[in-house]
Amino acid sequence: MHKILAKTLFVGQNVHYMSECHSTNDIAAELSKANQITEGTLVITDTQTRGRGQRGNAWQSSKGENLTFSIVLNPKFLAAKDHFQLHYVVSVAVCNTLLKYFRNVQIKWPNDILVSRKKICGILIENSIRGQVIENAIIGIGLNVNQAGFNYDNATSFRDLTSREYDKQEILGNLLEEIEAAYLKLKSGNIGYLRRYYLKHLFQKDESALYETSGDQFVGTIEGVDDHGRLVMSTTQGHRHFEFKEVKFLY
Ligand code: BTN
């Protein structure tokens, strides 16, 4: 897969394809450090031997059936403290792409993408900071397309949802266009739109549900996300702000 049909200015215009690699995020970071790639470069593979997910988990994806790729961005205009704004960009872009195919698409904080309450896409954003700004952001995306069945609960794919196969190139083209559009919105200062879109599609927002923190279960209602990207919930103990690893959804 090396010809990408995306109507973009820079995202996906340069492609680094490997039939196999350990992790596209790692390859993209290495190439970036060596100044070997330009902004928007797509690093894509058919299979990863050490695909990485959030919280130090592995990302598993069967060979050639799904999309596993990374995009390099250089958001030097973005202060390191505002890093969560990149999560808005990528979540909104993936959500918008999936809404072309499905109805019930939601963003589970911070950036899992669900269709009908099951995870179809994982996102791993890794930043390099220089001084006060983000010099380099590696946007890693694993989107389940033609894989049928998963070893773990709560995962799904285009194929599992509709019992047919899809053209990965077409989906990738759509994704790259949406990522560029959302990124350019951020660059032009339109964070308000991205934030509103993110909150509108946020999973379990304004719903009472069961969560866990430090081994204790509690009922809470998601109200939004603060400027640091923490999840804001109302609970019987009042408003609480949670960092990524501090709260678990029990559903
Ligand atoms: C998650 O845990 O939900 C994030 C998964 C991110 C997986 C993608 S696949 C392409 C890129 N390379 C990696 O090693 N991880 C990301």
Side-chain angles (χ1 to χ4, degrees), residues 92-94 96-97 100 173-183:
V92 166
V94 176
N96 229 355
T97 304
K100 293 180 179 144
N174 282 329
L175 271 172
L176 297 173
E177 286 166 20
E178 293 291 345
I179 290 168
E180 181 170 284
Y183 182 61

Side-chain angles (χ1 to χ4, degrees), residues 23-25 48 51-54 59 69 112 119 122-123 140-142:
S23 154
T24 57
N25 264 36
Q48 300 183 119
R52 293 188 292 107
Q54 298 163 3
W59 181 255
F69 64 92
D112 285 348
K119 179 163 168 175
I123 298 167
I141 297 183

Side-chain angles (χ1 to χ4, degrees), residues 21-26 43 45 48 50-55 57-61 67-70 111-112 119 121-126 138-143 244:
C21 73
H22 46 289
S23 154
T24 57
N25 264 36
D26 292 346
V43 177
T45 189
Q48 300 183 119
R50 283 202 310 277
R52 293 188 292 107
Q54 298 163 3
R55 302 176 198 251
N57 291 326
W59 181 255
Q60 284 159 4
S61 175
L67 285 166
T68 41
F69 64 92
S70 304
N111 57 14
D112 285 348
K119 179 163 168 175
C121 181
I123 298 167
L124 182 66
I125 301 178
E126 296 180 301
I138 309 293
I139 313 293
I141 297 183
L143 177 65
F244 179 43

Side-chain angles (χ1 to χ4, degrees), residues 58-62 66 108 112-122 142-145 147-162 251:
W59 181 255
Q60 284 159 4
S61 175
S62 63
N66 302 318
K108 183 179 161 202
D112 285 348
I113 311 298
L114 313 181
V115 177
S116 301
R117 302 177 70 86
K118 289 191 163 193
K119 179 163 168 175
I120 195 166
C121 181
L143 177 65
N144 299 330
V145 182
Q147 183 170 343
F150 292 85
N151 291 336
Y152 36 96
D153 288 343
N154 292 326
T156 194
S157 64
F158 279 61
R159 182 167 170 186
D160 273 356
L161 287 161
T162 59
Y251 75 98

Side-chain angles (χ1 to χ4, degrees), residues 18 32 43 55 71 74 83 87 104 113 119 121 131 137 151 172 188 190 198 206 222 227 234 243 245:
M18 296 146 293
S32 237
V43 177
R55 302 176 198 251
I71 292 164
N74 304 124
H83 67 94
H87 291 255
N104 192 4
I113 311 298
K119 179 163 168 175
C121 181
N151 291 336
L172 178 62
S188 65
N190 204 348
Y198 181 97
D206 300 325
I222 294 176
D227 288 345
S234 67
E243 300 277 356
K245 289 183 180 157

